[in-house]
Amino acid sequence: MRNTAKFSTAVLAAGALTLGLSACGSSGSGSASDTSGPLVVAASPTPHAEILNYIKEHLAKKAGLDLEVKEFQDYIVPNTATEDGSVDANYFQNQPYLDDFNKKRGTHIVPVVTVHLEPLGLYSHKVKSVDALKSGATVAVPNDAVNEARSLKLLAANGLITLKDGVGSEATPQDIAKNPKNLKFKEVEAAQTVRSLDDVDAAVVNGNYAISADLKPAKDALVLESAKNSPYGNFLAVKDGNQDDPRVKKLAKLLTSPEVKKFIEDKYAGSVIASF
């Protein structure tokens, strides 16, 4: 049985400050020299926590690493908890998202090692192909800046829309130059995109949420993001200054080990792609 703590966003938001050193044995990001106790890592349930739990159950003991995994259902609290020292590290995000988060929230989170890519996909409970989307169809997209832009780029790459020239990682529906199907966009929290599939014609869903909902991105997506030259690899991250924590270095080595690569390949069958 996994010894993994699961938290709802509401509980975490109220209790993040109480998950401190005495509660979880974490050294916290404010005391990089104190590396006693377990390494506490915040992670999205799938595939991040699953990968960490594989390490915890099969590799950590031999490497001399005491690892504690805490599951978070959102994309905000893992970073704020890492910033305030409630956890030692997190594993759930990519570089464009982190850059945007640090800029807007004044946090100081930095990547340690990139582990995998989760291709973003367009899914539907109502049509079997993008060609079957009717004029005026509603498409749900994540409402955070990076994932929304990423979603629009996916749609543009597959001919559903055309974005204005020069649009970067902060594209919104207002940056659409051509929309031949007159698609309407419903902006929702990333975690809600997969739950919106019964209410919209299609939804762009992050890979981890798709897998959690028993969708198989490589098989079920109408269109799927290309992994080639992608800037969206997910990585282990810490508060700046904690990169040299020996526990973090041990975990970084394990996350990019041959054993973890095989675990990813065997378990996710192309829905999650190792980046090392």
Side-chain angles (χ1 to χ4, degrees), residues 54-71:
Y54 170 78
I55 290 173
K56 178 182 176 70
E57 295 165 7
H58 298 282
L59 305 175
K61 184 176 181 180
K62 184 177 179 180
L65 175 65
D66 187 0
L67 179 62
E68 183 177 342
V69 184
K70 293 188 179 295
E71 291 188 13

Side-chain angles (χ1 to χ4, degrees), residues 38-246:
L39 180 71
V40 183
V41 184
S44 297
T46 306
H48 310 81
E50 292 175 346
I51 294 170
L52 290 172
N53 276 308
Y54 170 78
I55 290 173
K56 178 182 176 70
E57 295 165 7
H58 298 282
L59 305 175
K61 184 176 181 180
K62 184 177 179 180
L65 175 65
D66 187 0
L67 179 62
E68 183 177 342
V69 184
K70 293 188 179 295
E71 291 188 13
F72 289 69
Q73 298 288 347
D74 78 323
Y75 286 169
I76 297 174
V77 181
N79 274 337
T80 58
T82 302
E83 178 75 11
D84 69 26
S86 299
V87 300
D88 298 295
N90 66 57
Y91 174 34
F92 76 99
Q93 65 193 319
N94 57 55
Q95 192 68 59
Y97 179 84
L98 177 59
D99 290 343
D100 182 71
F101 192 97
N102 279 335
K103 179 180 178 181
K104 291 181 177 178
R105 302 221 175 211
T107 46
H108 308 85
I109 313 300
V110 296
V112 175
V113 65
T114 301
V115 182
H116 75 268
L117 172 72
E118 302 160 28
L120 202 71
L122 177 70
Y123 300 86
S124 176
H125 285 171
K126 299 179 181 178
V127 299
K128 299 295 185 181
S129 70
V130 291
D131 291 338
L133 283 171
K134 296 180 180 179
S135 179
T138 299
V139 178
V141 295
N143 64 3
D144 65 273
V146 170
N147 282 307
E148 182 170 53
R150 188 178 171 189
S151 299
L152 295 175
K153 289 180 179 180
L154 172 67
L155 299 180
N158 287 277
L160 286 167
I161 60 173
T162 301
L163 293 172
K164 296 175 182 176
D165 291 340
V167 171
S169 61
E170 295 185 355
T172 71
Q174 285 68 46
D175 296 306
I176 296 173
K178 296 180 181 179
N179 186 359
K181 285 183 176 285
N182 296 310
L183 298 177
K184 298 176 182 177
F185 295 93
K186 183 177 182 180
E187 298 166 299
V188 300
E189 184 182 350
Q192 302 300 320
T193 52
V194 72
R195 298 171 190 172
S196 72
L197 280 169
D198 289 331
D199 303 317
V200 298
D201 297 291
V204 181
V205 183
N206 290 75
N208 59 315
Y209 293 128
I211 296 167
S212 294
D214 294 325
L215 293 169
K216 296 178 175 60
K219 177 183 177 182
D220 296 330
L222 303 183
V223 295
L224 194 64
E225 194 175 41
S226 172
K228 186 177 180 180
N229 300 320
S230 175
Y232 299 111
N234 284 203
F235 46 68
L236 177 69
V238 297
K239 186 174 182 180
D240 193 17
N242 289 348
Q243 299 93 316
D244 292 329
D245 183 328

